[in-house]
Amino acid sequence: MNTSRWRMTVLVAGHAVDDLYQGAVPAVVPFLVAERSYSYLAAAGITVAATLLSSVVQPLFGLLTDRRPLPWLVPAGMTVAGAGIGLCGLSDSYLLTWLAIALSGLGVAAYHPEAARLARRVARDGHVGMSWFAVGGNAGFALGPVLVTPVLALGGLGASPLLMIPALVGGVVTLAAMRGVRGADAVEARAGQDDWRQFGRLTVVVIARSMVTFGLSTFLALWVAQRAGGLIAGSVALVLLFGIGALGTLLGGVLAGRWGRIRVVRVSYVLAVPSVAGIAIAPGPAVYLFVALAALTLYAPFSLHTTLGQDYLPNRLGTASGMTLGLAVSVGGLAAPAVGALASATTLQWALLSLPVLPVIAWVGARGLAEPARCAF
């Protein structure tokens, strides 16, 4: 295996490990509710903890990597993300739990801009190559509940330190693979002018998509547990959401090569509206069908957002990645308390029924997007 292919393999696998800890957060929430009797609003606050620091500092990490390559941030961010999740179950204090989850979010923020910049370099401008990188993240989301559920079901929240093991192993492997990535090997060719107006429209699209996915992932396990019976049923729904989402991300890259990125983005959000609504309406096990459809439609545009953002800002790849993978995505997580408050004031079903308006907003924003000039890498 040549050096570039090896590095891309490590980046894809590392993205899976890093985002495993984002997928772990919604999987931890039902256990916090069960063991500590958290309210819907308190549960949503845990999601805010995972996204608050990330939403503020991730663009700053992007600016730093635009000025100077910092490949060590990739293994360091991954390790910190795992440490935060590993510490989250060790204290009964809501504040300390919140801070541990926030630490994990900080690690995620440090990881993404540099990892995405390196992945685009290695992928050589290929939609499918970047889709594989994004699939790594989606697969990590899917693995989050797979890892969390048996560990916490058997050992309770006190077993949470076991959850940091993948980050420790992944950090060591990634550090070894990224050694020597400096100088000409880490500097992209600059071409074209930055189009901030188109990038601003794309940011609106990404925020709307993020709000619906975060709102859905935060409360999906609780909703399906009520609908289909038990915490295991809820965890299965999360695995389905993130697992099918990974396939949807790869499919989006393939379809973009045939139909273009903008068309795939627009069509995906149109189809997402009935898919998300069906989750709140479908009876019993039929909810799983709509979870799968929502996963396909919400995740197909995921990697395309990143490449579009990088092509709109060809001279600021770290900033573009920090925004599309970081700030815009994390800000969506800050909407989770609003969904939780609505659920507390009405019912969880009505809160979920509010989510389909967000893909509509994403579709409206995508109507103003134009295919950018392709960067040279």
Side-chain angles (χ1 to χ4, degrees), residues 190-360:
R190 307 301 191 192
Q193 295 183 346
D194 296 329
D195 190 339
W196 287 100
R197 177 172 296 184
Q198 285 287 294
F199 186 78
R201 290 175 178 170
L202 176 66
T203 300
V204 172
V205 174
V206 176
I207 289 175
R209 183 242 177 220
S210 173
M211 290 173 69
V212 64
T213 53
F214 266 101
L216 193 58
S217 64
T218 299
F219 295 104
L220 180 64
L222 293 172
W223 172 245
V224 174
Q226 297 174 14
R227 203 77 165 172
L231 291 176
I232 300 299
S235 294
V236 169
L238 280 178
V239 172
L240 187 64
L241 176 68
F242 298 142
I244 298 296
L247 295 177
T249 300
L250 186 58
L251 178 63
V254 173
L255 294 178
R258 297 182 179 182
W259 298 340
R261 290 175 288 184
I262 303 300
R263 180 181 296 180
V264 173
V265 169
R266 291 172 181 168
V267 171
S268 295
Y269 288 125
V270 169
L271 297 177
V273 175
S275 302
V276 174
I279 293 174
I281 299 172
V287 69
Y288 291 115
L289 172 62
F290 287 94
V291 170
L293 292 174
L296 283 173
T297 55
L298 290 175
Y299 281 87
F302 184 62
S303 68
L304 307 182
H305 292 160
T306 302
T307 59
L308 283 168
Q310 290 174 332
D311 285 350
Y312 287 140
L313 302 182
N315 301 299
R316 294 174 173 83
L317 298 184
T319 300
S321 301
M323 292 290 289
T324 55
L325 288 174
L327 178 62
V329 172
S330 300
V331 165
L334 302 182
V339 180
L342 181 59
S344 297
T346 56
T347 66
L348 184 54
Q349 183 176 38
W350 279 110
L352 293 175
L353 282 171
S354 70
L355 295 178
V357 70
L358 295 167
V360 174

Side-chain angles (χ1 to χ4, degrees), residues 4-73:
S4 294
R5 183 173 298 179
W6 163 242
R7 285 175 177 164
M8 177 56 82
T9 300
V10 171
L11 284 168
V12 171
H15 199 189
V17 172
D18 184 80
D19 281 15
L20 180 153
Y21 295 105
Q22 293 194 76
V25 174
V28 167
V29 166
F31 291 94
L32 293 172
V33 171
E35 291 193 27
R36 300 178 183 173
S37 301
Y38 285 176
S39 66
Y40 286 136
L41 190 57
I46 297 299
T47 298
V48 172
T51 59
L52 184 60
L53 270 179
S54 180
S55 67
V56 173
V57 303
Q58 194 154 172
L60 298 180
F61 283 114
L63 287 171
L64 286 174
T65 59
D66 281 336
R67 293 172 179 267
R68 179 184 180 184
L70 300 171
W72 61 267
L73 280 176

